[in-house]
Amino acid sequence: MTPLNHSLHVAVPTAFDHEERLDTKRTIAHILQLQKLGIKSVLVCGSTGEQHSLTLTEKRQLLHALAQETSWAADFEFLFGLAGIVFHETLALAEAISKNPRIDGVVLGFPPYLCLSQKEAVLYAQGLINTCEKPVILYNNPRRTGFDLSAESLLTLIADPRVIGLKEAGSKERVPQLKTKTAVDFRFYAGGEADLAEKVALGFNGLSSMAGNLCPKEIEVIWQGLLKGDATISTSNEWQKMEQAAAGDPTDTISYLPWLKQQITIDGQPFGFCRQPLGLETSDRFGTGSIPPDLA
């Protein structure tokens, strides 16, 4: 299994038009902007919560659009979010990923709300790993899903050499102990920039960045500085910009993802909308709480 070359990736949002239809062109245009600014790896359809609003058909459309684009650099890496509540649909997505040469790996999340048992979670993950046939980063986010992957289940899954990392958004304190039981090159990814210096000190050696959507050059400088043990990086101008990008709306009136999309522009035009209820408090697309025209 070919490993992933880059320890930093930017988790990109998905563009939707004013009627909440998937906009692959604007999504790709944003990724191309990041590529021009030095980013070498992105996560699509993951880490923003939007993947669970996308249908299987839409996810396939996004996969197809990524493969059709011809402007990617030879060393640019794509990760694709792989998770879902309906298992047979998630397996179908894994199969589509396996056939897509543009996708270099997956971030495998556990379904929200279902609160799987550990055994169910292991079987769920193993089925997807065997089907997608790509390098896999497991994603543990108990606050979002209601499920917390145990250390025992993790060790069971990483016995498969295709599992090359864990994005840990649960207990960061368990990472030093887990590192004693994993291979030297196994990656522990921080989900976002919160407590980033502390996480690197604990042994995190990968970053799934949200702030990088707004300050890609700065996040590269910060990440390389942290990996090299640069004690001054947390007082740099780059760090200040990163903290502002990671904090979200300074007035605290809208949630992070709608705010993030408001900051992103493509050739001077807005990036796109969120699917409601995200952004509902600032949206005048349909009137408060109304139904999109094509669903009415």
Side-chain angles (χ1 to χ4, degrees):
M1 182 62 63
T2 303
L4 298 171
N5 293 319
H6 307 297
S7 63
L8 162 68
H9 61 256
V10 173
V12 297
T14 307
F16 301 102
D17 68 15
H18 71 288
E19 293 184 359
E20 300 188 1
R21 294 170 299 201
L22 175 65
D23 189 336
T24 58
K25 290 183 178 181
R26 299 196 78 73
T27 303
I28 288 174
H30 173 53
I31 300 171
L32 287 171
Q33 285 188 162
L34 293 177
Q35 179 179 253
K36 289 179 181 178
L37 293 171
I39 293 299
K40 297 184 180 299
S41 181
V42 294
L43 167 59
V44 182
C45 189
S47 274
T48 61
E50 293 180 308
Q51 70 182 121
H52 294 295
S53 84
L54 293 171
T55 65
L56 176 58
T57 297
E58 289 173 325
K59 292 175 182 178
R60 284 172 167 160
Q61 289 172 347
L62 194 50
L63 280 170
H64 179 72
L66 293 173
Q68 291 296 109
E69 177 60 49
T70 61
S71 302
W72 309 121
D75 63 343
F76 196 81
E77 285 184 343
F78 276 98
L79 303 174
F80 205 85
L82 178 60
I85 290 177
V86 182
F87 186 49
H88 70 82
E89 290 189 356
T90 316
L91 277 174
L93 177 61
E95 184 175 2
I97 289 171
S98 75
K99 297 176 181 178
N100 191 313
R102 183 59 268 179
I103 304 303
D104 300 286
V106 302
V107 176
L108 193 161
F110 297 92
Y113 193 81
L114 298 182
C115 297
L116 303 178
S117 70
Q118 294 295 321
K119 182 62 174 178
E120 287 169 334
V122 167
L123 292 173
Y124 161 92
Q126 287 175 334
L128 298 176
I129 293 165
N130 289 334
T131 303
C132 76
E133 298 181 334
K134 302 276 186 176
V136 171
I137 300 166
L138 300 172
Y139 184 17
N140 185 49
N141 193 343
R143 185 175 73 88
R144 297 277 189 173
T145 65
F147 167 78
D148 193 0
L149 185 71
S150 70
E152 181 180 3
S153 296
L154 172 64
L155 294 177
T156 297
L157 291 171
I158 65 175
D160 189 319
R162 292 171 290 193
V163 181
I164 54 89
L166 171 69
K167 181 177 174 181
E168 179 60 78
S171 173
K172 62 181 181 290
E173 290 78 14
R174 71 175 182 164
V175 167
Q177 181 63 27
L178 290 173
K179 284 183 72 71
T180 67
K181 301 177 181 179
T182 55
V184 174
D185 59 352
F186 190 83
R187 285 190 190 151
F188 289 90
Y189 287 81
E193 286 74 18
D195 305 319
L196 187 55
E198 179 186 355
K199 288 177 179 176
V200 172
L202 286 171
F204 283 78
N205 54 0
L207 172 60
S208 183
S209 173
M210 291 294 291
N213 283 288
L214 301 181
C215 54
K217 292 182 178 179
E218 290 81 3
I219 207 67
E220 284 281 1
V221 170
I222 288 167
W223 183 239
Q224 294 306 317
L226 287 172
L227 292 181
K228 294 174 183 176
D230 181 357
T232 68
I233 196 67
S234 62
T235 58
S236 65
N237 291 332
E238 288 88 355
W239 191 276
Q240 184 178 5
K241 290 183 179 179
M242 180 271 285
E243 286 192 320
Q244 292 173 348
D249 179 20
T251 66
D252 200 28
T253 57
I254 60 174
S255 56
Y256 186 78
L257 192 56
W259 176 83
L260 176 65
K261 288 188 175 185
Q262 287 181 0
Q263 312 312 305
I264 298 171
T265 58
I266 309 294
D267 297 326
Q269 298 300 313
F271 171 75
F273 299 95
C274 289
R275 281 179 166 164
Q276 295 183 9
L278 284 175
L280 189 61
E281 67 270 44
T282 60
S283 176
D284 59 359
R285 281 172 281 160
F286 320 120
T288 302
S290 65
I291 301 171
D294 60 337
L295 296 180

